Amino acid sequence: MTEEQQELRVEHYEMLYILSANYTAEEIKPIIEKIASLIKEQHGEITKDEDAGKLKFAYPIKQQNHGYYRLFEFNLVKNNLQNLNKILGLTNEILRFIIVKKKIKTETELKKEKDLQDKLAKKKEKEIEKIKADKKEIKEKVPKERGREKISLEDLDKKLDEILDTNKL
Amino acid sequence: MPRETNLLEKEKYCYFCVNGLKDIDYKDGQLLRRWTSSYNKIVPRRRSGVCSKHQRKLANAIKRARYMAILPYLPR
């Protein structure tokens, strides 16, 4: 692959961004549209728009404790990412954002993962059964030993009697 | 001098290998909290038992979560 081709390669990205909680739920909508249009301006193709809800920050950002977390997924030419980063950094409405490369899973990969999960689930079931079986064995063992003891006690009595009898003689 | 082995210590295992998780999501703060200390530091591999491949991904995920205020940098 030549350098030019590499720069024109389309990648799949995931972007998480925070909007200030000073906006109401309705005031947010035009802002979201604005951000989406910014991505589209860079010839990005949005595949997912998700609301992660209003959450509390782990530490205050610009003297605020809450924010709306939202998520975009989009395909973008690698070369345009730097531009997009710059533009998003200059939009005041966004408190903070992060763009992360996300791998699109192919069908074979998905199948592999599913197989792995099935395998693990079976393994766990087996282990649980094993533990149960072990517990049962212990339970079964205990009464047997007690039974033996009882028998042996009776035997002891008989033996004692015999011994006593022989002593009398 | 040989290292003393603690008999009470549990056997360590990589959570992500055992559960078949390939990628670590930085958005799941509750899960990531398991591998931060009470001072909100990333727990080293010798204590967490996570394998080297996943420890690298885990450290990255925790740092991203910190930037997005999902995890704290400092204790309160």
Side-chain angles (χ1 to χ4, degrees):
Chain A
M1 216 187 269
T2 58
E3 229 172 79
E4 261 181 44
Q5 272 176 324
Q6 234 174 12
E7 277 168 0
L8 286 173
R9 201 171 59 196
V10 176
E11 295 268 12
H12 190 64
Y13 296 104
E14 181 192 88
M15 167 182 159
L16 184 73
Y17 59 100
I18 307 171
L19 298 175
S20 165
N22 289 342
Y23 301 114
T24 59
E26 290 202 352
E27 276 173 339
I28 267 186
K29 280 172 194 167
I31 297 168
I32 293 161
E33 273 169 29
K34 190 185 160 192
I35 294 161
S37 71
L38 285 177
I39 294 168
K40 276 171 194 159
E41 262 175 36
Q42 301 294 326
H43 307 292
E45 186 196 343
I46 294 169
T47 54
K48 196 177 173 187
D49 180 5
E50 201 182 287
D51 185 11
K54 191 180 171 183
L55 301 175
K56 202 185 174 210
F57 297 147
Y59 52 86
I61 300 174
K62 291 190 179 174
Q63 288 89 44
Q64 289 174 29
N65 284 318
H66 294 269
Y68 297 101
Y69 280 77
R70 294 199 123 261
L71 191 94
F72 269 135
E73 266 181 39
F74 52 88
N75 298 317
L76 192 74
V77 179
K78 201 180 174 188
N79 220 9
N80 289 347
L81 182 68
Q82 218 178 352
N83 256 337
L84 182 66
N85 257 322
K86 229 186 228 171
I87 292 163
L88 287 174
L90 290 172
T91 44
N92 290 326
E93 289 91 344
I94 302 177
L95 264 187
R96 213 166 260 203
F97 72 94
I98 190 170
I99 298 178
V100 176
K101 211 189 270 181
K102 198 176 183 187
K103 223 181 173 182
I104 304 173
K105 281 168 188 166
T106 56
E107 274 186 29
T108 48
E109 273 175 333
L110 280 174
K111 209 189 168 191
K112 253 189 191 176
E113 255 176 42
K114 214 190 167 189
D115 285 347
L116 189 68
Q117 291 291 349
D118 287 347
K119 214 175 157 188
L120 287 170
K122 270 185 192 171
K123 215 178 171 185
K124 260 189 186 175
E125 268 178 29
K126 263 189 188 174
E127 269 176 24
I128 289 166
E129 272 176 24
K130 212 183 173 186
I131 289 165
K132 273 184 185 172
D134 281 350
K135 271 184 186 174
K136 261 189 189 174
E137 265 182 30
I138 290 164
K139 270 182 190 173
E140 277 170 9
K141 264 186 189 174
V142 170
K144 263 185 192 171
E145 277 168 10
R146 273 180 195 164
R148 264 185 216 157
E149 270 177 19
K150 270 180 192 172
I151 293 162
S152 62
L153 271 173
E154 282 164 16
D155 283 347
L156 262 178
D157 281 345
K158 272 181 191 174
K159 271 181 189 174
L160 267 174
D161 286 340
E162 275 172 24
I163 291 162
L164 285 172
D165 284 344
T166 48
N167 273 353
K168 269 180 192 174
L169 281 170
Chain B
M1 221 172 100
R3 219 173 169 187
E4 272 185 44
T5 49
N6 190 353
L7 292 174
L8 291 172
E9 213 169 278
K10 272 184 193 172
E11 203 179 311
K12 283 169 187 166
Y13 62 91
C14 176
Y15 173 88
F16 303 100
C17 287
V18 168
N19 289 311
L21 302 169
K22 272 193 177 169
D23 308 307
I24 303 172
D25 188 11
Y26 65 94
K27 297 186 290 297
D28 191 352
Q30 277 302 320
L31 184 72
L32 295 177
R33 224 164 261 257
R34 270 178 70 168
W35 294 280
T36 56
S37 72
S38 55
Y39 296 108
N40 294 321
K41 287 180 156 195
I42 300 170
V43 176
R45 201 154 71 233
R46 62 168 181 276
R47 278 194 53 202
S48 62
V50 177
C51 74
S52 46
K53 188 177 165 188
H54 283 119
Q55 178 77 13
R56 267 177 269 137
K57 286 187 176 181
L58 179 68
N60 251 333
I62 290 174
K63 284 168 191 171
R64 278 173 184 165
R66 277 181 185 159
Y67 175 69
M68 291 310 281
I70 297 164
L71 288 181
Y73 282 103
L74 299 167
R76 297 250 162 195

